[in-house]
């Protein structure tokens, strides 16, 4: 038997073993068709069933009402940085951004190309160690929307409550924490996520958008950059990434099987607590990057006393079979990404390794 890697990659990231096995069983012969799923027409009954199943699973897991559309796009979360202002930022309005890390910076950069923007709050000064207090977010009356990044993959911070704003849609980049916990979709006008952290392989981006925001969108946009194209055609205007959506449907089925978002949240909390406890009990040997009340359950970021010790830790971790523990190239240090599919046992192995390293050093 092959041993699965101790995979803490930030994205693309580990997928549930059960999902990979199921895909493997169906690889050559999907539903007795004599074809693989990616060899079929995207207009076939077989593919359409997969496509619609993925949409309905997302709807039921996230309790999404009929006021919203669930769309599948390509271009990653990064294309949404452009599409959101192109579709939703109209003349005379101002797009508001909360800056909590590199991804929100990039989202703002694209919005500036489309129209007027404002910074509603920022924790850049503190080195992106925290999420702003909800009271510190300022919106002007001409706000088109408020954009935030629910989990900051690179810095390891996460929103634990969201602003409740009347009359201004809240938009969230949930690429690295979608489906990690229950969510009240009604707080948002739009949420989006590239699939490669919690949803499946890269190649498909999920956008969940309030229907009334679509009807207001600009019709002069290029067809493929207009949300209306996707909503009017069940995300089948052109060829969708069929293999990625198939794997997404299997991941969603897996989430349902293990008990849905409440069960996932319980598991994620336990996994994150194990690592944060080791950091907190290490007496400063491991230094967490995020402030305690802003800590992410998905990406645990930490440093050791100096670069030399960090490098030694990462080298020994690598030699012991741990994958993906290097911090993002822009931040350095260490990062353990512990998305939904990272098994609890693997997290406990990491904690044991950290403890042993601390005692020996
Ligand atoms: C990974 C990530 C992105 C980038 O996603 P792409 O699909 O590569 O464009 C954007 N935002 C967040 C929060 C991420 O974690």
């Amino acid at each position: 038997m092959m041993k699965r890697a101790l995979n803490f990659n930030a994205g693309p990231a580990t997928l549930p073993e059960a999902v990979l096995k199921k895909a493997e069983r169906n690889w050559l012969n999907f539903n007795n068709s004599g074809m693989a799923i990616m060899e079929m027409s995207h207009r076939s009954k077989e593919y359409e069933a997969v496509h619609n199943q993925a949409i309905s699973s997302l709807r039921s897991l996230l309790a999404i009402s009929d006021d919203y559309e669930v769309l599948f796009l390509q271009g990653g979360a990064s294309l949404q940085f452009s599409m959101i202002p192109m579709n939703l930022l109209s003349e005379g309005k101002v797009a508001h951004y909360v800056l909590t890390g590199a991804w929100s910076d990039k989202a703002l950069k694209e919005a500036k190309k489309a129209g007027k923007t404002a910074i509603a709050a920022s924790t850049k000064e503190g080195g992106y160690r925290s999420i702003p207090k909800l009271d510190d977010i300022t919106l002007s009356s001409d706000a088109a929307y408020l954009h935030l990044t629910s989990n900051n993959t690179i810095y390891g911070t996460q929103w634990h409550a969201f602003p409740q704003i009347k009359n201004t849609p809240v938009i969230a980049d949930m690429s690295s924490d979608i489906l990690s916990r229950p969510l009240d979709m009604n707080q948002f006008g739009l949420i989006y996520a590239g699939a490669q952290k919690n949803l499946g392989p890269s190649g498909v981006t999920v956008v969940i958008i309030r229907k009334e925001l679509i009807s207001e969108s600009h019709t002069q946009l290029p067809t493929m950059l207009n949300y209306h194209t996707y909503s009017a055609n069940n995300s089948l205007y052109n060829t969708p990434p069929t293999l990625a959506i198939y794997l997404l449907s299997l991941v969603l089925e897996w989430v349902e099987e293990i008990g849905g978002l409440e069960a996932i949240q319980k598991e994620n909390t336990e996994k994150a607590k194990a690592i944060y406890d080791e950091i907190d009990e290490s007496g400063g040997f491991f230094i967490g990057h995020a402030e305690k009340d802003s800590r992410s359950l998905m990406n645990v970021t930490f440093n050791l006393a100096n670069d030399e010790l960090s490098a030694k830790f990462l080298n020994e971790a690598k030699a012991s079979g741990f994958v993906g523990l290097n911090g993002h190239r822009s931040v350095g240090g260490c990062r353990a990404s512990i998305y939904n599919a990272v098994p609890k046992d693997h997290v406990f192995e990491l904690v044991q390794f950290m403890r042993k390293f601390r005692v020996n050093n």
Side-chain angles (χ1 to χ4, degrees), residues 75-79 81 103 149 151-153 173-176 192 194-197 205 339:
S78 298
L79 183 61
F81 298 165
W103 295 118
T149 312
N151 182 73
N152 299 284
T153 325
D173 176 357
M174 296 199 176
S175 292
S176 54
Y192 64 100
Q196 66 271 19
K197 280 110 187 194
T205 307
Y339 301 119

Side-chain angles (χ1 to χ4, degrees), residues 22 117 123 141 207 261 265 285 326 352:
K22 187 156 190 189
T117 62
T123 56
S141 56
V207 172
L261 299 190
Q265 181 180 38
F285 186 86
N326 290 64
Q352 268 183 356

Side-chain angles (χ1 to χ4, degrees), residues 27 151 160 199 217-218 235 246 248 251 332 341 344 356:
W27 190 246
N151 182 73
H160 297 296
L199 293 177
S217 70
H218 313 278
S235 301
Y246 169 59
L248 164 65
V251 169
K344 208 173 0 184
K356 219 166 108 187

Side-chain angles (χ1 to χ4, degrees), residues 18-51:
V19 164
L20 296 173
K21 283 187 167 155
K22 187 156 190 189
E24 184 179 40
R25 285 197 299 277
N26 286 295
W27 190 246
L28 278 176
N29 185 14
F30 182 77
N31 272 357
N32 278 325
S33 62
M35 290 178 273
I37 184 85
M38 61 275 195
E39 297 178 297
M40 288 177 187
S41 166
H42 59 293
R43 311 277 174 211
S44 65
K45 277 208 174 65
E46 284 99 336
Y47 174 71
E48 225 173 340
V50 167
H51 188 93

Side-chain angles (χ1 to χ4, degrees), residues 227-246:
Y227 289 124
H228 187 258
T229 304
Y230 297 83
S231 70
N233 296 284
N234 194 31
S235 301
L236 285 162
Y237 173 78
N238 75 325
T239 317
T242 53
L243 178 59
I245 292 170
Y246 169 59

